[in-house]
Amino acid sequence: MTRRYLAAIIILTANTAAWSQTMPLRGGRAPDGYISLSSNITISMPFDKSQDIEAQQKAAMESVYRMIKNSCELVVDAFAESCEITGVSSNVNMSNRNDREMSVTVSGQVQMVAKPRAVAAPNP
């Protein structure tokens, strides 16, 4: 694991700890007025045998982490006043179906808590 990934994990962990101190989840549930969200992101890429396998794996992981990082931004753009990431996990699977087809699959899961924007009642 590179220093960069360790730093990302430490930052995400620190952000989660800070959130739990200001907006504690009650029994794993979001506080009143907030909703819990989760998103799964999966990228599968074939390996180019002429390139470094580790570099290709790193590129796939970085893509998933960028998507995770932007998850709350998308929620806020769509419907929420605020959003915080409360948990992140990821998985890397390298497969070699035969000697010709190698691939890497990176899956990321992000858990969030968001406060939806108020919706005005329709006029009768």
Side-chain angles (χ1 to χ4, degrees):
M1 197 175 283
T2 65
R3 287 184 184 175
R4 191 163 147 183
Y5 288 121
L6 287 174
I9 291 169
I10 290 168
I11 290 169
L12 288 171
T13 303
N15 286 342
T16 301
W19 173 257
S20 65
Q21 291 171 1
T22 59
M23 187 58 67
L25 298 179
R26 293 186 300 241
R29 294 178 42 162
D32 290 341
Y34 289 78
I35 58 173
S36 295
L37 303 158
S38 64
S39 181
N40 297 312
I41 302 159
T42 302
I43 293 178
S44 186
M45 299 172 51
F47 278 121
D48 179 350
K49 287 187 177 187
S50 67
Q51 301 293 318
D52 179 53
I53 291 174
E54 202 172 291
Q56 293 177 70
Q57 176 185 343
K58 179 181 175 185
M61 291 176 73
E62 286 175 342
S63 293
V64 168
Y65 289 143
R66 277 193 298 276
M67 287 184 228
I68 287 171
K69 175 184 154 199
N70 294 326
S71 294
C72 266
E73 184 178 318
L74 294 171
V75 169
V76 169
D77 287 346
F79 66 88
E81 287 181 20
S82 64
C83 177
E84 294 288 334
I85 292 175
T86 59
V88 172
S89 62
S90 63
N91 183 38
V92 178
N93 182 15
M94 299 174 70
S95 61
N96 186 2
R97 294 184 188 170
N98 56 45
D99 288 334
R100 295 174 290 163
E101 295 180 27
M102 290 180 64
S103 65
V104 61
T105 301
V106 179
S107 298
Q109 299 79 35
V110 58
Q111 295 79 40
M112 301 165 277
V113 174
K115 182 173 185 176
R117 283 187 212 114
V119 179
N123 291 330

